[in-house]
Amino acid sequence: MPRSDTLQGAMTRWVRHGGAGKLLFTAPLLIVFGLFAWWPILRSLVLSFQRTNLVADPAWVGLRNFSRVLADPLLVTAAWNTAWFTLLALVIGFPVPVLLAVFVGELRRTRTIASVLVYIPIIIPPVVAVLLWKQLYDPSEHGLLNTVAGWAGLGPFPWLQGAETAMPSIVVQATWAGFGTTTIIYVAALMSVPPELYEAAELDGAGVLRRVWHITLPQLRSVILLMLILQVIGTFQVFTEPYVMTGGGPDNSTITLLMLIFKYAFVVGDFGKATALSLMLAVFLTALSAVYLRATRGWKRS
């Protein structure tokens, strides 16, 4: 049979089985997704190999942007601060939504009201929430948090003005601003746990802690593992909180990788250098995610 007849037959079967209709319905989605998601990525990839300020004609510089980024002494500081923020966010912020979700899950009659109260911080616009916390972190002895600390005979603390206290202060604010959404996700996952498991555990005399340890946490394991990598990716891209609260100070103790990218692009006007660092961060997070997903693949199944 000629090849043209085979190809024509395959096309006819594809049309008869609704292939044209499926393509027609998915084409707008593919176009919009490609235009707003993949095209900027490809454009950034090209910009990372060019010297450009988006006004003058770009010049191809090869890997020079990457070498200039690696030679910047501020890169080590920004990378360390970002890693420090991520570690603090995992230690301080990651357990909070899990514990709150378990607590809300135990509230059989007032679970809906508790879920609404937990979600309230999300309603406040991020910049407004950051400015609100900036007022709470007033370093004077008349500041709200220092007044509360003074009741216990502590402080006053410099909060955002101290190089050692600035980053933990930002992590606390970021945790407060973000735990609502994560808690709701955990609560929704808890709703899928068969109630028969809890009823059987109660008949066996299991208390709250044993039910949480032997039923709740194992049932949430896949969700917890997913939220963990999402939080790591999100914290590596922290920008709003340190930018608004400290501007990267004091003494660059809170400058992060995204703030450095912002500085390259919109302060210095070197978009090639900014996209080079963006690409390096994207490659690192992709590799980290791949390693994490491979390492935890067995944990999700067990």
Side-chain angles (χ1 to χ4, degrees):
M1 180 181 295
R3 185 175 180 180
S4 58
D5 293 342
T6 303
L7 180 60
Q8 184 177 4
M11 289 293 295
T12 303
R13 288 193 298 272
W14 179 71
V15 172
R16 286 178 178 175
H17 287 85
K22 295 176 183 176
L23 180 61
L24 184 63
F25 277 106
T26 56
L29 174 64
L30 294 175
I31 294 174
V32 172
F33 187 79
L35 184 62
F36 291 100
W38 287 104
W39 172 247
I41 295 176
L42 295 175
R43 181 61 180 155
S44 300
L45 182 63
V46 175
L47 285 177
S48 66
F49 295 98
Q50 295 177 332
R51 181 185 292 274
T52 177
N53 57 6
L54 300 184
V55 177
D57 293 336
W60 187 264
V61 295
L63 298 175
R64 196 174 304 167
N65 286 329
F66 295 91
S67 61
R68 290 195 298 130
V69 169
L70 294 174
D72 188 349
L74 199 54
L75 175 65
V76 177
T77 303
W80 166 254
N81 291 339
T82 304
W84 179 230
F85 178 89
T86 300
L87 179 62
L88 288 177
L90 289 178
V91 174
I92 299 175
F94 188 74
V96 173
V98 178
L99 296 176
L100 278 175
V102 171
F103 175 74
V104 172
E106 290 293 326
L107 301 175
R108 307 292 173 83
R109 296 182 179 178
T110 58
R111 182 180 299 163
T112 302
I113 298 176
S115 300
V116 172
L117 293 176
V118 166
Y119 198 73
I120 283 179
I122 302 298
I123 301 174
I124 302 175
V127 175
V128 175
V130 171
L131 292 176
L132 174 64
W133 274 83
K134 193 174 180 179
Q135 295 299 318
L136 298 180
Y137 282 137
D138 185 348
S140 70
E141 61 181 8
H142 302 295
L144 179 59
L145 294 182
N146 274 336
T147 300
V148 174
W151 294 343
L154 303 175
F157 298 103
W159 304 117
L160 300 174
Q161 275 66 40
E164 296 181 352
T165 57
M167 190 62 85
S169 302
I170 293 174
V171 170
V172 170
Q173 189 282 327
T175 300
W176 174 85
F179 74 81
T181 300
T182 312
T183 302
I184 294 301
I185 292 174
Y186 285 134
V187 171
L190 280 175
M191 296 302 99
S192 64
V193 178
E196 294 82 7
L197 295 177
Y198 292 103
E199 294 172 0
E202 290 176 356
L203 289 176
D204 291 339
V208 174
L209 293 179
R210 291 184 62 188
R211 293 201 302 270
V212 170
W213 184 257
H214 293 288
I215 299 176
T216 302
L217 292 181
Q219 293 293 325
L220 289 178
R221 179 165 46 200
S222 59
V223 181
I224 291 175
L225 291 174
L226 176 62
M227 296 308 298
L228 177 60
I229 187 62
L230 290 179
Q231 177 166 337
V232 170
I233 294 174
T235 51
F236 262 96
Q237 301 178 57
V238 62
F239 175 77
T240 303
E241 290 84 0
Y243 180 75
V244 176
M245 299 182 87
T246 63
D251 298 329
N252 291 325
S253 61
T254 58
I255 189 171
T256 62
L257 288 173
L258 252 65
M259 291 183 67
L260 191 58
I261 293 171
F262 179 86
K263 177 185 175 184
Y264 289 158
F266 300 105
V267 177
V268 182
D270 191 341
F271 288 87
K273 200 173 175 181
T275 52
L277 181 54
S278 301
L279 185 62
M280 293 165 64
L281 179 61
V283 170
F284 171 75
L285 291 178
T286 301
L288 180 65
S289 302
V291 172
Y292 176 85
L293 293 176
R294 184 173 181 79
T296 59
R297 186 169 51 185
W299 299 353
K300 295 178 182 178
R301 295 173 180 171
S302 60

